[in-house]
């Protein structure tokens, strides 16, 4: 009787010990596949407490198709993979290290045979090897070129726009006939008046343009470089013309010209600021100078025709 009880206790303790010992297994649904076929790998752990199943690695000749999440089935953990192979040969699924309560356990390695698919050449007609086929073009292939084409068209459009606009302006511009020097000078004086330069405290610019009108007129009428010489040199030129009686200019007009040129030099170089009535007087003197130097009309004497 004692021996029977002892025997039962030993069997019970062995069973409890076996149940409490962690155990890991790895199995596949087939060990032989053809190229491209898929098979299933399952890793089971008979424990659920503090278990770590690392990612399947160190595969050679085999590829993972699916990697499912770990399932808990009662008191077991199940990890499922779907694998395949694309090269014929024999390949091992190496031992996988599973950690249970910080203790490492190894699965068995599994040999997988990947076989080629036999071809029955008596039934299957053989075709020649096809050349490499190029991928069809898509919109993204042309996008970089399309951007440059659009930019080029825009540039051409802008150039045509400005060319046509310039041509239109030129066509609309009236051809202004050349005026005689005296009339041209009077027109420039009117334009100068409308600018209101000295009224806006631009006195230096005003005197520069005023004397330039007088100098340009003298240069065209007397054929002297009035725009390029100094005021003193210009006065000497005018004095020589007057002394030689080639220019009919009164002493009063000569003094006005001399005073206007000297006043302009003071404004431009000595920063002089004449008063309003002085500026208006200089403007009047400028017109008087032009009137006094205006060419006299040529009167042609008609000879009586001899009968």
């Amino acid at each position: 009787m004692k021996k029977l009880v002892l025997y039962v206790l030993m069997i019970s303790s062995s069973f409890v010990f076996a149940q409490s010992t962690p155990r890991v297994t790895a199995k596949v649904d087939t060990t032989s596949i053809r190229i491209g076929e898929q098979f299933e790998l399952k890793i089971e752990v008979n424990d659920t407490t503090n278990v770590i199943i690392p990612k399947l690695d160190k595969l050679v000749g085999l590829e993972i198709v699916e990697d499912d999440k770990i399932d808990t089935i009662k008191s077991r953990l199940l990890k499922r993979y779907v694998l395949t192979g694309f090269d014929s040969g024999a390949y091992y699924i190496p031992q996988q290290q599973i950690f249970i309560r910080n203790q490492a356990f190894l699965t068995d390695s599994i040999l997988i045979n990947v076989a080629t698919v036999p071809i029955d050449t008596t039934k299957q007609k053989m075709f020649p090897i096809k050349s490499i086929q190029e991928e069809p073009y898509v919109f993204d292939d042309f996008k970089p070129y399309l951007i440059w084409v659009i930019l080029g068209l825009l540039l051409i459009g802008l150039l045509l726009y400005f060319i046509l606009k310039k041509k239109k302006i030129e066509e609309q511009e009236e051809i202004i006939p050349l005026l005689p020097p005296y009339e041209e000078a009077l027109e420039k004086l009117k334009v100068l008046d409308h600018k209101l330069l000295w009224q806006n405290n631009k006195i230096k610019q005003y005197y520069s343009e005023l004397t330039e009108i007088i100098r340009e007129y003298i240069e065209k009428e007397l054929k002297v470089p009035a725009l390029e010489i100094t005021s003193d040199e210009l006065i000497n030129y005018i004095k020589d013309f007057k002394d030689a009686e080639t220019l009919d200019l009164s002493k009063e007009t000569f003094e006005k010209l001399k005073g206007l040129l000297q006043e302009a030099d003071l404004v431009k170089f000595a920063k002089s600021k004449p008063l309003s009535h002085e500026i208006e007087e200089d403007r009047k003197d400028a017109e008087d100078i032009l009137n006094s130097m205006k060419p006299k009309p040529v009167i042609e004497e008609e000879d009586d025709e001899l009968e």
Side-chain angles (χ1 to χ4, degrees):
M1 186 67 180
K2 290 181 179 181
K3 289 183 179 181
L4 180 59
V5 173
L6 182 61
Y7 181 74
V8 171
L9 289 174
M10 289 177 62
I11 293 175
S12 300
S13 60
S14 299
F15 178 76
V16 172
F17 179 77
Q19 288 292 322
S20 61
T21 302
R23 182 167 49 87
V24 297
T25 59
K27 57 184 179 180
V28 294
D29 55 357
T30 180
T31 57
S32 297
I33 63 170
R34 289 178 294 183
I35 289 176
E37 286 186 337
Q38 299 177 0
F39 65 97
E40 188 177 73
L41 167 67
K42 292 182 179 179
I43 297 176
E44 294 186 15
V45 181
N46 68 338
D47 202 336
T48 58
T49 305
N50 197 12
V51 177
I52 299 175
I53 302 178
K55 184 178 179 181
L56 189 63
D57 60 0
K58 298 180 181 179
L59 292 177
V60 177
L62 300 174
E63 296 182 13
I64 299 174
V65 179
E66 294 182 18
D67 184 352
D68 294 345
K69 293 182 179 180
I70 299 174
D71 289 334
T72 302
I73 303 172
K74 296 183 179 180
S75 60
R76 295 182 298 114
L77 294 180
L78 175 63
K79 176 70 174 177
R80 177 181 171 275
Y81 296 95
V82 176
L83 307 176
T84 188
F86 295 102
D87 293 318
S88 61
Y91 305 103
Y92 274 100
I93 299 176
Q95 292 179 314
Q96 300 299 309
Q97 197 172 45
I98 312 298
F99 294 92
I100 303 173
R101 291 189 288 276
N102 297 325
Q103 185 177 356
F105 294 84
L106 295 175
T107 64
D108 294 331
S109 61
I110 303 172
L111 180 64
I112 304 296
N113 292 299
V114 182
T116 57
V117 179
I119 300 175
D120 187 355
T121 56
T122 60
K123 297 181 180 179
Q124 180 67 40
K125 183 180 178 181
M126 301 297 291
F127 295 95
I129 299 175
K130 293 184 179 180
S131 60
I132 298 174
Q133 300 293 318
E134 295 184 357
E135 293 185 4
Y137 289 108
V138 295
F139 177 75
D140 288 340
D141 295 331
F142 299 98
K143 191 181 293 183
Y145 304 101
L146 186 61
I147 293 173
W148 285 110
V149 170
I150 293 173
L151 290 176
L153 291 175
L154 287 175
L155 181 60
I156 294 172
L158 286 173
L159 288 175
L160 290 174
Y161 171 77
F162 285 115
I163 291 172
L164 294 174
K165 185 177 181 181
K166 183 179 179 182
K167 185 177 179 181
K168 187 176 180 180
I169 292 173
E170 290 175 353
E171 291 176 352
Q172 292 177 348
E173 287 180 351
E174 296 180 1
I175 300 174
I176 301 175
L178 294 176
L179 296 174
Y182 171 74
E183 295 180 12
E184 182 184 6
L186 289 182
E187 287 295 324
K188 288 184 176 180
L189 284 177
K190 292 178 182 178
V191 173
L192 180 62
D193 291 339
H194 284 94
K195 288 184 178 180
L196 302 176
L197 293 176
W198 69 267
Q199 292 90 337
N200 290 290
N201 203 30
K202 296 180 181 179
I203 299 175
K204 182 178 178 180
Q205 184 179 348
Y206 176 79
Y207 272 91
S208 295
E209 294 191 20
L210 181 64
T211 53
E212 185 178 344
I213 294 171
I214 301 299
R215 285 173 176 269
E216 187 177 4
Y217 172 75
I218 294 173
E219 183 169 303
K220 290 180 179 180
E221 284 294 339
L222 302 182
K223 303 296 187 284
V224 296
L227 292 170
E228 302 173 2
I229 59 180
T230 63
S231 297
D232 292 338
E233 290 172 337
L234 180 58
I235 292 299
N236 290 333
Y237 267 113
I238 300 298
K239 187 174 183 301
D240 292 340
F241 278 108
K242 186 174 180 300
D243 293 342
E245 297 183 354
T246 57
L247 179 64
D248 185 13
L249 190 69
S250 66
K251 182 178 180 181
E252 181 183 0
T253 303
F254 179 77
E255 292 298 328
K256 285 181 179 181
L257 175 61
K258 183 178 178 180
L260 177 61
L261 294 175
Q262 290 175 347
E263 182 68 31
D265 287 343
L266 289 173
V267 172
K268 288 188 287 185
F269 304 113
K271 298 182 179 181
S272 174
K273 290 186 178 181
L275 300 176
S276 299
H277 71 277
E278 293 174 333
I279 297 174
E280 292 175 350
E281 187 66 27
D282 288 336
R283 165 64 178 82
K284 183 176 179 300
D285 289 346
E287 190 165 348
D288 291 342
I289 293 167
L290 292 177
N291 290 327
S292 297
M293 298 181 71
K294 178 182 177 182
K296 302 296 187 293
V298 177
I299 302 176
E300 296 181 357
E301 295 181 357
E302 297 181 356
D303 296 332
D304 293 336
E305 294 184 357
L306 298 175
E307 295 182 355

